[in-house]
Amino acid sequence: KTLAERGQRARVFGFGVGSSVNRHLLNGLSEAGRGTTFYASTRQDPAESAKQFFRAIEKPILSDIHLEFEGVNVTDVEPQIIPDLLNGKPLQILGRYAQNAAGKVHIHGILNGRPHTLTVDLSLRGNPTSHGALKTRWARARVKSLMRQTWQGTNDAVKKSITDLGLSFGLV
């Protein structure tokens, strides 16, 4: 069972120092634990990097984030489980839409220990062929999400989905 299935709400944060850090492992552990990973290069003072790390995780700006779309049909949002918004660590949330529309996104979460909602107007416009690199970024995020599903074991449907995405979006 996963931590969530057991009712545990711990966050896992990775911290890597140096140039030979196993980023795949640290990022994977952090994602599975709804945290994030911080890195310090050999040119940075590890003590200062550790202070920045603890400042960021000590008081998240917004935690337990989930999105609610109004008036727009947004699908395939990645990441599917949104990590906490931390000071100095921007969030990138990608999704897909089929037609131009205007609406809102309600960003729900916990701010200073209390439920909080921020509403942002959305204007989804343009031809999908004009979205350039955004399409590829979404596809890579989706592949990453599907790959995470293989941690519990793989199946033919997941393999096919990953292969189809790679071929459709020209991913290497």
Side-chain angles (χ1 to χ4, degrees):
K1 285 187 167 182
T2 65
L3 286 175
E5 290 169 340
R6 291 185 202 150
Q8 296 174 336
R9 297 180 38 118
R11 299 287 198 265
V12 176
F13 295 92
F15 186 80
V17 179
S19 59
S20 299
V21 174
N22 186 334
R23 288 177 178 262
H24 182 72
L25 174 65
L26 286 177
N27 290 341
L29 289 170
S30 295
E31 287 171 23
R34 293 193 64 193
T36 190
T37 308
F38 295 78
Y39 295 100
S41 72
T42 54
R43 289 177 263 148
Q44 294 172 294
D45 175 19
E48 184 57 36
S49 296
K51 285 180 192 174
Q52 290 174 353
F53 168 74
F54 283 111
R55 266 186 252 131
I57 68 170
E58 180 178 59
K59 189 174 179 188
I61 295 171
L62 193 64
S63 60
D64 298 323
I65 299 170
H66 65 279
L67 306 178
E68 176 188 355
F69 294 95
E70 177 186 328
V72 292
N73 185 18
V74 176
T75 61
D76 303 326
V77 173
E78 291 294 340
Q80 293 171 4
I81 298 173
I82 301 171
D84 295 344
L85 177 60
L86 304 175
N87 187 22
K89 292 291 260 186
L91 287 178
Q92 180 183 81
I93 302 169
L94 302 164
R96 302 181 82 191
Y97 66 94
Q99 61 188 27
N100 294 344
K104 299 177 185 299
V105 60
H106 305 284
I107 305 164
H108 303 284
I110 304 296
L111 176 68
N112 295 325
R114 296 189 172 145
H116 182 75
T117 299
L118 173 68
T119 300
V120 178
D121 291 331
L122 285 181
S123 179
L124 305 178
R125 303 269 181 250
N127 181 340
T129 59
S130 68
H131 294 159
L134 284 177
K135 295 182 302 186
T136 304
R137 289 178 77 125
W138 172 84
R140 287 186 191 284
R142 178 49 57 111
V143 166
K144 187 177 181 182
S145 178
L146 290 167
M147 292 293 291
R148 191 170 30 256
Q149 290 178 25
T150 66
W151 294 351
Q152 307 298 322
T154 187
N155 65 51
D156 290 339
V158 172
K159 285 181 188 177
K160 181 173 179 0
S161 295
I162 292 169
T163 302
D164 290 348
L165 278 167
L167 293 172
S168 297
F169 289 88
L171 303 178
V172 179

